[in-house]
Amino acid sequence: MKQNSSFVVSLKNILFRAFPVLGVLFALLVQNVIADSPLHPAATHGYYNSLLLILLVVAFLAFVLSFFLKNFAKTLTHKGPFLFGAGVLVSVLNLITAKFALLPVIFFPSFDNILSIFIEQTDLLVKCVWYSFRLLLLGVFWGVTVGFITGVFLGFSKKVYYWINPYIKLIGPIPATAWIPLVLTTFPTTFGASVFIIALAVWFPVQLMTSSGIQNTSKVYFEVGKTLGAGTFFQIFRIAVPAALPNIFQGMFNGICAAFIALMTAEMFGAKYGIGWYISYQKAMMLYSGVYAGLILIAVFCTVIITALFKVRSKVLNWQNGLIKW
């Protein structure tokens, strides 16, 4: 009985590891057996088919490697059903859009037409991503810097908190994008205005969580520090800030999420390049394949940035690994 049970479990694990291959094969079957609707513009190249063939090779190599790498086999066994489901979901979307045209063709293009944007407009997309990254980097830098300094003063000094906090409570909750009409008329360039809007979106959550983290630090730590002769600088940067680091990273996470919204909105008002500008431009031209390509870029862009932030957080706060998952 134990041998039969072990054989069944082993066979189940192999099937789970094969699910990614089966998911891609299912997507290929749908793409090649069922013809595209004549309502959709004919694609110049079969980019979607080529992508599926590449994914099939990758999935098959992963399946083979799973027999030699134990940890990789566990990961693939766990992820296999989800990847198969993703293949089925993509196939259903393909049926709804390209194959049967159940949705308005102009707003829901085929996968081939969306993928063609990445191939045929590579230079423009790279330029837009770089422009957005530069804007985001500058905005987040100034937002985190000013938010951290403000949070430290508010959290450590009762006098500063008394005089400044009421104004922050009044201004902070206002969405950063609400200031766009005023900021665009105040700053000499749209680039500077966009950086300010992003910095403003990041500043409030960072200062709020920094000040809260410092204020919630146990008073015993400060009393011990004073007893041992610690000065104000030592108490701030060796006691208060390290104790508040979990809150600070949480504020940065919330701030970056708000920064993405501010970035996309700011780029739609007068920017020359950027992902937000690209989506707005493609929408104005009624080229919705470009709109979806821009949305895919945003998804990848945001995922990479937030994943990098969590990697840094895991290194700095390794004792909190697993507390917040991404």
Side-chain angles (χ1 to χ4, degrees):
M1 291 294 292
K2 288 184 178 180
Q3 289 181 347
N4 290 338
S5 177
S6 174
F7 175 76
V8 171
V9 171
S10 178
L11 191 63
K12 182 180 177 181
N13 289 340
I14 292 174
L15 177 62
F16 279 18
R17 298 203 298 269
F19 268 148
V21 177
L22 296 175
V24 179
L25 285 174
F26 182 78
L28 273 167
L29 186 67
V30 170
Q31 173 65 11
N32 291 282
V33 171
I34 303 174
D36 287 352
S37 168
L39 297 176
H40 278 276
T44 54
H45 297 89
Y47 294 118
Y48 178 55
N49 219 30
S50 300
L51 177 63
L52 289 176
L53 290 173
I54 293 171
L55 291 176
L56 180 63
V57 172
V58 172
F60 181 75
L61 289 176
F63 176 70
V64 173
L65 285 174
S66 68
F67 288 95
F68 302 98
L69 303 174
K70 189 175 181 180
N71 291 333
F72 182 71
K74 289 182 179 179
T75 302
L76 192 60
T77 301
H78 176 68
K79 297 287 186 182
F82 171 80
L83 294 174
F84 177 77
V88 173
L89 176 62
V90 169
S91 299
V92 170
L93 292 175
N94 194 20
L95 289 170
I96 293 173
T97 55
K99 301 304 179 182
F100 300 135
L102 299 178
L103 298 172
V105 171
I106 189 171
F107 300 119
F108 297 93
S110 65
F111 290 158
D112 278 327
N113 288 325
I114 295 173
L115 291 172
S116 67
I117 298 295
F118 292 100
I119 306 300
E120 298 167 7
Q121 299 185 21
T122 303
D123 293 340
L124 178 59
L125 291 175
V126 169
K127 194 171 186 178
C128 288
V129 169
W130 167 244
Y131 190 93
S132 293
F133 177 74
R134 187 176 56 160
L135 264 181
L136 186 70
L137 188 65
L138 287 172
V140 169
F141 171 77
W142 286 112
V144 170
T145 302
V146 177
F148 175 76
I149 294 172
T150 309
V152 168
F153 275 106
L154 287 170
F156 196 78
S157 174
K158 292 183 179 179
K159 290 183 178 179
V160 173
Y161 184 85
Y162 174 81
W163 288 104
I164 303 299
N165 193 56
Y167 297 105
I168 291 179
K169 285 183 177 180
L170 182 66
I171 297 173
I174 300 175
T177 52
W179 296 94
I180 288 178
L182 179 62
V183 171
L184 287 175
T185 58
T186 304
F187 279 76
T189 63
T190 55
F191 184 84
S194 299
V195 170
F196 178 81
I197 290 297
I198 296 167
L200 187 62
V202 176
W203 162 78
F204 180 65
V206 171
Q207 73 81 23
L208 178 64
M209 297 307 298
T210 302
S211 62
S212 298
I214 293 175
Q215 288 172 347
N216 291 327
T217 303
S218 176
K219 305 302 178 189
V220 175
Y221 297 144
F222 296 109
E223 291 173 1
V224 172
K226 287 182 180 179
T227 303
L228 296 176
T232 302
F233 184 86
F234 186 95
Q235 290 185 52
I236 293 174
F237 292 100
R238 299 300 295 274
I239 298 176
V241 171
L245 273 178
N247 294 69
I248 294 172
F249 273 103
Q250 187 176 349
M252 289 175 62
F253 173 77
N254 294 334
I256 288 178
C257 290
F260 288 131
I261 298 173
L263 172 68
M264 295 301 118
T265 307
E267 286 182 343
M268 291 180 181
F269 289 89
K272 294 181 179 179
Y273 293 103
I275 304 175
W277 167 85
Y278 180 82
I279 292 175
S280 180
Y281 172 74
Q282 294 293 310
K283 179 179 177 295
M285 300 295 292
M286 296 297 288
L287 300 173
Y288 277 82
S289 55
V291 172
Y292 285 104
L295 291 174
I296 292 171
L297 276 180
I298 291 174
V300 174
F301 186 64
C302 295
T303 301
V304 169
I305 297 295
I306 294 176
T307 301
L309 176 63
F310 268 84
K311 291 291 184 183
V312 174
R313 183 188 183 280
S314 298
K315 292 290 184 182
V316 176
L317 301 176
N318 53 13
W319 51 274
Q320 274 200 335
N321 279 347
L323 187 62
I324 301 177
K325 295 182 179 180
W326 168 251

